[in-house]
Amino acid sequence: MARRHRLITVSPATVWSVLADGNRYAQWVVGTASSTPVRGHWPQVGAALRYEVRLGPLRATNETVVRRCEEGTILELEAKAGPLGTARIALEVRPWGEHSLVTVDEHPLRGAAGALHNTAVEALIQIRHRAMLARLAKVCETQTPRATSGAGHA
């Protein structure tokens, strides 16, 4: 099971605002070229988005479905990868002082990916997670701060 964490120097609310925006998924998920919500209201349970992966001239389109959501803290996804099967990807956002500690935990769930999973694959997932959390941090830390919900609204 690949598990990695990163301190992101913004509030948990700011991190969650990025995670809760299905249109921004491709900005921080490594390997994803584009994403579009297709079902439900992201990130509610059952909501889905379609994403595209490109590798040179090759393109694959798949879906990611929200399986568990505790608003502001936990987002668990099932990412479909065609014939490879699916993976469970869990993200947890915790306050760390004024900042956020974000943990990602991923493992194969269904299909051939589970049979192919080994220490070499685990190492590749760790590298992907490091890059993914760095991208998430960059998106969050360069985001224009929004007004606190409920403050100053008429």
Side-chain angles (χ1 to χ4, degrees):
M1 217 172 6
R3 186 173 173 89
R4 180 165 287 281
H5 66 274
R6 180 177 175 122
L7 182 67
I8 299 180
T9 60
V10 296
S11 71
T14 300
V15 174
W16 188 259
S17 73
V18 172
L19 297 178
D21 186 346
N23 290 307
R24 298 184 83 180
Y25 184 83
Q27 291 179 343
W28 56 272
V29 176
V30 172
T32 304
S34 64
S35 61
T36 307
V38 292
R39 244 186 352 270
H41 183 68
W42 190 270
Q44 294 176 351
V45 173
L49 57 82
R50 180 174 297 118
Y51 68 91
E52 183 179 61
V53 176
R54 295 181 198 148
L55 185 58
L58 304 175
R59 295 174 183 224
T61 302
N62 281 301
E63 243 183 35
T64 295
V65 179
V66 177
R67 296 299 186 202
R68 180 176 173 222
C69 178
E70 292 183 21
E71 190 172 339
T73 60
I74 295 173
L75 182 60
E76 291 190 21
L77 309 171
E78 185 172 353
K80 299 177 181 177
L84 289 177
T86 67
R88 172 192 169 266
I89 303 164
L91 295 138
E92 182 177 3
V93 181
R94 294 184 189 177
W96 196 262
E98 297 175 358
H99 301 139
S100 304
L101 184 62
V102 180
T103 303
V104 63
D105 176 9
E106 179 178 351
H107 66 269
L109 190 60
R110 306 175 194 193
L116 300 173
H117 195 82
N118 58 40
T119 55
V121 171
E122 187 81 11
L124 290 174
I125 293 172
Q126 287 288 343
I127 292 167
R128 180 175 176 264
H129 285 177
R130 183 179 298 133
M132 184 172 74
L133 287 170
R135 287 173 70 167
L136 179 61
K138 183 177 180 181
V139 169
C140 293
E141 292 167 355
T142 59
Q143 173 169 288
T144 303
R146 295 182 183 160
T148 306
S149 102
H153 293 205

